[in-house]
Amino acid sequence: MKDNDNEAKIILQDVCKSFGDFQALNNINLQVNKGEKIVVCGPSGSGKSTMIRCINRLEEHDSGKIIISGRELTNEVKDIDAVRSEVGMVFQNFNLFPHLTVINNLMLALKLVRKMNKSKAREVAMGFLERVQIPEQADKYPIQLSGGQQQRVAIARALCMNPEVMLFDEPTSALDPEMISEVLDVMIDLANEGLTMICVTHEMGFARSVADSIVFMDSGEIVEMKPPDEFFNNPESKRTKAFLSQILSH
Amino acid sequence: MAELSGWLDDYFWGAMVVLKVFGVSLTMAVIFGLMGASAKLSKNRIANKIANAYTITFRGTPEILVLLLFYYGSAIALTKIVQIFFPQMPFVDIPPFWAGSLSIGLIVGSYATETFRGAFMGVDPGIVEASRALGISNLHTFFYVRIPQMWRLALPAFGNHMLSIMKDTALISIIGLEEILFVAEMATAVTLKPFTMYMIVALIYLSITTVITMVVMLLEKHANRHLEVAK
Amino acid sequence: MNLQIYLILESIPKMLTGLGVTLQLLFLSAVLGLSLGIFLLLMRISGRWYLSLPAFIYIYFFRGTPILVQIFVIYHGFPQFEFIRDSVFWPILREPFGCATLALTLNTGAYVSEILRGGYLGVQRELHEAGMALGLSKLHRFVYVTTPIAVRIAIPAYSNDFISLLKATSLASTITLLDMTGASRTIVAETFAPYEIFISAAIIYMVMTFFIQRGFGRFEKYMSRYVKP
Ligand SMILES: Nc1ncnc2c1ncn2[C@@H]1O[C@H](COP(=O)(O)OP(=O)(O)OP(=O)(O)O)[C@@H](O)[C@H]1O
Ligand SMILES: [Mg+2]
């Protein structure tokens, strides 16, 4: 049973990335199997965003290999858009299209990329809005929604494409405290349904209950990668300990 | 290009006239702009109304109409006045240089009014209060505190106004000022090379506007020097 | 004095014909100039130097020289060349109306492309990324995400440029065209009543400016419906 699931969805091999002189990612190795949930944490500037943006090719890595569902990301990949539509991404600042209503935010890629007709797209989109529990907001513009609602729309928009993998980049850190849990609840639901997820977050409660492994990054490197119990109770590296003591003391 | 050689000094002197118009119009535009902005920001309702009428009028009317109106209009008015004293006087001419510079100053001043108004509003009121609290008079605060602060904010837009003034100077040839367009017309009549002659005018303007753009960039750097982090 | 008023009344039809010419110049060069501006914008943002550099030079020239000089170069200057006189465009370039329209189009195209570029640069990079992450192609992102937002951002500046264009049409009077300003000038030459005629013309221009501003204001409000809650 376990062996069957061990199909690698994402493989990063010796991935390096620099911005000018600055090395943002340094020999990253990571494998994420089907259905696995990975939480990534680490201090600001450690390269967490850069790593998951490379997976979606929003940044291009300089060397090493990134393989998504068996397809390697290179410059030659002509259908990079096709790969992207298999990988959903949720951003810290939601990045909803401000000029489109909620339902149209969801329908846009369904119509253009999935080539659905309007009524089919609408049906699919409404289904996902119900899943994130805001079908009643369908015809509003993003700015008319609270932050938590906007982020749930953003999640629904990514889910619409029926991705095999979902990437989250600090999805709750732009939210007021009282809205964090409504977004985390949606994410926990997705995790329970068996979606493959990589999630950058500092919500340690979420990490503890959902993650299969926690990845700790510092200065562009993966310092440590362990299941939650071991990670919290038995961290190896000094850097991890320092980070944990800081984040858990609040 | 041989036909050009005879005309080079004419173009040069024409360009000097253009620069003179530019200098006078620029000064006027700054003065009208500061007056307009102060009037718009003052609590005096009548001053507000006058300033609004000023900007609406001059921003909504083609430059050439303003120019023609000032040139012919003031000539007629002046003739009427002069004829009261010297009835035998046939007609008084207004120098196109002054009619033109005044028109351009008024037109661009109306745009500068809005720029300066916005920039004055961007000045931190705390700084003005601090100056008043030091016992510095209102007038001195205006010139030594508010204008230098406002200037920094106004510069990018004011740079564009300077370019407008420069380009508007070409209009004065319409009322007979002997500047570079006039030179081109003369040269064309002799050489029958209109494209060459008018293109030279274009290139002269292009060089001057390039210089203005660069000067504005330097001024901006200078105005923002206190914001640069010490190294 | 009576004679004056009679002459002025008689000149009203002339002014109205002039107004028609002004509006023709305005709308023709606005539409052509907008198309040119979009074309230049695409060249400018193509990311290929052999497209963006010529567009840059074009824009630099037309924004750096007075429109009056551009009109003169075209109207007085083009006939210097035999190949222009022999070309199929000669019937257009021979006429002052064609020259004025061409000059206004070339001029406003340069400004419009910069205004639109400002709009495009104003669209947040994050929205491009959101589109990319959904797998939208470059063309789809350009059409469905960037353009509607860029247009909204560009409206106020475009509205100002449209008013500048209206005012610039008056320069057609310098190449013998009887637009509203040209008509006013001929009437003034006949009646020698500059105040009455020029001020009436100015008022008509101001009224047009007012309606242009209002029209674009409405359009902007419509396009901005999603900005304010
Ligand atoms: N486009 C870029 N150009 C230059 N430097 C960049 C760029 N993007 C990221 N960096 C740098 O790379 C480093 C890693 O950035 P990254 O955004 O991945 O960090 P992060 O771990 O996500 O931090 P945070 O918790 O603040 O989001 C940072 O030092 C950042 O300044
Ligand atoms: Mg980050």
Side-chain angles (χ1 to χ4, degrees):
Chain A
M1 178 78 193
K2 192 83 191 151
D3 281 357
N4 258 349
D5 285 345
N6 256 358
E7 181 193 333
K9 277 276 153 211
I10 299 176
I11 300 172
L12 279 76
Q13 262 173 25
D14 299 325
V15 172
C16 295
K17 163 82 191 166
S18 34
F19 297 106
D21 289 341
F22 180 80
Q23 180 108 24
L25 293 181
N26 195 358
N27 276 320
I28 298 287
N29 284 290
L30 180 72
Q31 172 166 346
V32 183
N33 293 335
K34 186 168 186 222
E36 257 190 318
K37 293 118 197 63
I38 307 291
V39 164
V40 181
C41 61
S44 181
S46 57
K48 307 177 298 286
S49 300
T50 308
M51 182 175 81
I52 69 169
R53 287 162 60 82
C54 279
I55 294 175
N56 213 354
R57 215 168 174 70
L58 292 177
E59 307 283 358
E60 286 178 22
H61 56 289
D62 303 331
S63 62
K65 275 186 182 177
I66 299 179
I67 301 167
I68 313 284
S69 304
R71 273 186 282 199
E72 188 182 345
L73 297 185
T74 59
N75 273 333
E76 279 108 69
V77 179
K78 289 208 187 68
D79 50 356
I80 181 68
D81 292 330
V83 175
R84 281 184 179 138
S85 63
E86 308 294 331
V87 180
M89 174 130 182
V90 175
F91 301 85
Q92 181 172 354
N93 294 316
F94 332 133
N95 296 354
L96 294 173
F97 302 127
H99 60 297
L100 299 177
T101 56
V102 165
I103 188 82
N104 283 325
N105 260 278
L106 271 66
M107 286 164 62
L108 186 68
L110 290 176
K111 287 188 294 192
L112 298 176
V113 182
R114 295 282 183 253
K115 312 280 180 222
M116 286 183 190
N117 65 32
K118 209 169 164 179
S119 60
K120 176 74 181 145
R122 196 178 174 89
E123 191 188 317
V124 173
M126 276 315 283
F128 281 99
L129 280 183
E130 266 156 35
R131 194 153 150 197
V132 298
Q133 303 180 347
I134 34 177
E136 72 281 0
Q137 311 288 0
D139 294 314
K140 289 197 180 164
Y141 285 102
I143 194 149
Q144 299 167 316
L145 270 54
S146 73
Q149 290 172 325
Q150 288 190 46
Q151 192 60 299
R152 283 187 283 155
V153 173
I155 293 174
R157 181 176 70 176
L159 288 175
C160 274
M161 302 303 289
N162 205 6
E164 300 183 22
V165 180
M166 283 282 278
L167 309 173
F168 295 85
D169 190 359
E170 307 206 31
T172 56
S173 55
L175 297 178
D176 293 337
E178 71 272 18
M179 294 172 187
I180 291 179
S181 68
E182 66 183 60
V183 172
L184 288 182
D185 286 346
V186 170
M187 290 168 62
I188 291 170
D189 273 353
L190 294 176
N192 292 339
E193 286 166 26
L195 195 66
T196 314
M197 290 165 56
I198 301 183
C199 182
V200 177
T201 183
H202 290 157
E203 293 294 329
M204 287 304 147
F206 171 81
R208 206 185 276 274
S209 66
V210 166
D212 295 306
S213 308
I214 300 183
V215 168
F216 174 70
M217 291 184 71
D218 193 12
S219 320
E221 291 170 353
I222 293 186
V223 177
E224 196 154 350
M225 174 166 175
K226 286 192 166 147
D229 275 347
E230 273 183 68
F231 182 80
F232 288 112
N233 301 330
N234 203 3
E236 262 166 52
S237 144
K238 257 210 284 213
R239 287 192 271 180
T240 318
K241 282 180 203 160
F243 177 74
L244 278 177
S245 70
Q246 223 179 26
I247 209 167
L248 295 177
S249 66
H250 300 305
Chain B
M1 285 291 124
E3 52 276 298
L4 239 181
S5 54
W7 296 96
L8 283 181
D9 9 326
D10 299 83
Y11 276 115
F12 177 78
W13 292 115
M16 288 300 120
V17 174
V18 166
L19 289 178
K20 265 204 292 199
V21 175
F22 175 73
V24 174
S25 308
L26 180 64
T27 314
M28 290 189 186
V30 171
I31 294 171
F32 289 128
L34 284 176
M35 283 172 28
S38 309
K40 281 207 172 183
L41 290 170
S42 87
K43 293 190 185 74
N44 186 328
R45 299 268 303 277
I46 297 169
N48 293 167
K49 287 235 164 74
I50 293 174
N52 280 337
Y54 166 57
T55 51
I56 290 175
T57 311
F58 283 90
R59 297 174 64 146
T61 311
E63 294 81 353
I64 181 175
L65 267 184
V66 176
L67 203 68
L68 292 170
L69 190 61
F70 267 69
Y71 184 58
Y72 292 117
S74 53
I76 288 181
L78 213 66
T79 307
K80 290 239 165 80
I81 293 168
V82 171
Q83 278 173 349
I84 296 172
F85 303 101
F86 306 101
Q88 72 283 13
M89 194 83 165
F91 194 77
V92 185
D93 252 340
I94 293 281
F97 179 90
W98 289 102
S101 303
L102 179 66
S103 309
I104 297 175
L106 275 168
I107 293 163
V108 180
S110 71
Y111 288 88
T113 294
E114 295 299 342
T115 302
F116 290 159
R117 187 182 68 101
F120 273 126
M121 294 200 311
V123 174
D124 180 0
I127 296 176
V128 177
E129 280 169 15
S131 166
R132 298 290 290 128
L134 288 168
I136 300 170
S137 75
N138 243 333
L139 198 66
H140 281 155
T141 302
F142 184 75
F143 281 107
Y144 293 102
V145 179
R146 293 185 65 191
I147 288 188
Q149 288 282 318
M150 170 287 275
W151 187 237
R152 185 171 61 84
L153 301 174
L155 245 183
F158 194 76
N160 285 334
H161 300 331
M162 284 166 71
L163 293 175
S164 302
I165 295 175
M166 191 67 233
K167 289 183 273 178
D168 284 348
T169 57
L171 297 173
I172 306 188
S173 66
I174 293 167
I175 53 172
L177 189 68
E178 302 187 357
E179 39 73 87
I180 40 181
L181 270 174
F182 174 82
V183 173
E185 203 184 318
M186 295 291 106
T188 298
V190 176
T191 61
L192 301 178
K193 295 269 188 256
F195 184 84
T196 320
M197 293 306 165
Y198 283 105
M199 206 57 189
I200 288 169
V201 176
L203 293 178
I204 293 173
Y205 270 109
L206 195 62
S207 349
I208 302 177
T209 50
T210 302
V211 171
I212 294 175
T213 309
M214 289 190 313
V215 168
V216 170
M217 264 159 56
L218 289 178
L219 282 176
E220 269 179 59
K221 222 174 146 191
H222 180 76
N224 289 324
R225 67 198 180 284
H226 63 288
L227 298 178
E228 275 169 30
V229 185
K231 286 209 177 124
Chain C
M1 213 56 209
N2 272 334
L3 187 70
Q4 290 279 54
I5 290 169
Y6 178 72
L7 278 172
I8 289 167
L9 281 179
E10 207 181 33
S11 61
I12 286 177
K14 258 191 205 162
M15 291 277 269
L16 287 178
T17 320
L19 178 62
V21 175
T22 295
L23 290 175
Q24 277 175 33
L25 279 173
L26 175 64
F27 286 110
L28 205 55
S29 42
V31 171
L32 295 174
L34 182 61
S35 323
L36 175 64
I38 293 171
F39 186 72
L40 287 167
L41 169 77
L42 294 175
M43 285 172 73
R44 199 76 211 274
I45 62 177
S46 66
R48 271 161 236 173
W49 69 267
Y50 53 86
L51 292 177
S52 62
L53 185 67
F56 174 82
I57 293 172
Y58 176 92
I59 293 166
Y60 191 78
F61 179 83
F62 277 91
R63 286 175 21 124
T65 52
I67 168 90
L68 184 66
V69 176
Q70 293 159 17
I71 291 176
F72 283 1
V73 167
I74 290 173
Y75 180 71
H76 297 300
F78 276 9
Q80 178 179 331
F81 301 108
E82 201 167 325
F83 71 89
I84 291 181
R85 275 178 278 139
D86 292 340
S87 77
V88 288
F89 301 112
W90 185 236
I92 297 172
L93 291 175
R94 199 175 47 197
E95 300 296 329
F97 186 86
C99 289
T101 309
L102 179 64
L104 292 169
T105 299
L106 296 180
N107 182 273
T108 189
Y111 284 92
V112 167
S113 89
E114 282 298 278
I115 289 169
L116 292 177
R117 199 167 72 96
Y120 277 94
L121 294 178
V123 178
Q124 290 167 297
R125 202 176 59 114
E126 286 82 1
L127 294 178
H128 285 277
E129 293 185 346
M132 281 186 211
L134 286 170
L136 297 179
S137 68
K138 205 170 169 180
L139 181 69
H140 280 155
R141 290 198 301 270
F142 186 78
V143 174
Y144 293 98
V145 179
T146 334
T147 299
I149 299 174
V151 166
R152 184 201 90 222
I153 298 173
I155 295 170
Y158 184 76
S159 158
N160 285 337
D161 187 69
F162 200 86
I163 291 165
S164 300
L165 182 62
L166 168 65
K167 296 200 279 177
T169 57
S170 67
L171 296 178
S173 66
T174 61
I175 53 170
T176 74
L177 206 64
L178 290 180
D179 73 319
M180 201 160 62
T181 301
S184 316
R185 288 173 76 176
T186 51
I187 299 165
V188 170
E190 288 162 8
T191 61
F192 219 74
Y195 295 118
E196 294 84 341
I197 301 298
F198 285 146
I199 290 177
S200 318
I203 289 173
I204 299 175
Y205 279 108
M206 273 187 261
V207 170
M208 286 197 273
T209 303
F210 172 78
F211 282 110
I212 292 170
Q213 262 166 349
R214 235 177 65 170
F216 279 107
R218 291 250 167 99
F219 183 46
E220 190 191 355
K221 210 164 158 190
Y222 169 75
M223 291 296 283
S224 307
R225 66 201 177 283
Y226 56 82
V227 176
K228 291 189 200 87

